[in-house]
Amino acid sequence: MIDAKAEIVGNVWKIVAREGDQVGPGDPLVILETMKMEIPVVAPAHGHVSSILVTEGQIVQEGDAVVEIDDTLGA
């Protein structure tokens, strides 16, 4: 499992990915809002979204895991 983590403190504005989605490096998973800017949290690797760890409106801290990606499934 790989965690996609927030790089900034922010509000979870929108959850783009859904559990079971296939993702690749750079694919947007969650959009954070901070100081009126939208900052995407992107997939760090290929895999399937196994769990969304946040809810829209939640405040996250820098380094918080927001999405778990299962990178062990067959390609």
Side-chain angles (χ1 to χ4, degrees), residues 2-4 22-27 29 42-48 69-71:
I2 298 173
D3 290 334
Q22 184 172 348
V23 296
D27 288 349
L29 304 171
V42 299
H46 289 282
H48 289 83
I69 298 171
D70 185 349
D71 61 338

Side-chain angles (χ1 to χ4, degrees), residues 56-75:
E56 290 182 0
Q58 180 178 340
I59 303 296
V60 295
Q61 301 297 313
E62 182 178 348
D64 284 356
V66 297
V67 174
E68 283 184 342
I69 298 171
D70 185 349
D71 61 338
T72 62
L73 297 175

Side-chain angles (χ1 to χ4, degrees), residues 10-61:
N11 178 52
V12 177
W13 179 71
K14 184 176 183 182
I15 298 172
V16 179
R18 300 287 172 237
E19 288 185 13
D21 285 356
Q22 184 172 348
V23 296
D27 288 349
L29 304 171
V30 172
I31 307 295
L32 302 180
E33 190 248 347
T34 186
M35 297 173 39
K36 305 210 184 267
M37 294 175 52
E38 295 174 10
I39 310 294
V41 177
V42 299
H46 289 282
H48 289 83
V49 175
S50 61
S51 184
I52 306 290
L53 305 174
V54 294
T55 58
E56 290 182 0
Q58 180 178 340
I59 303 296
V60 295
Q61 301 297 313

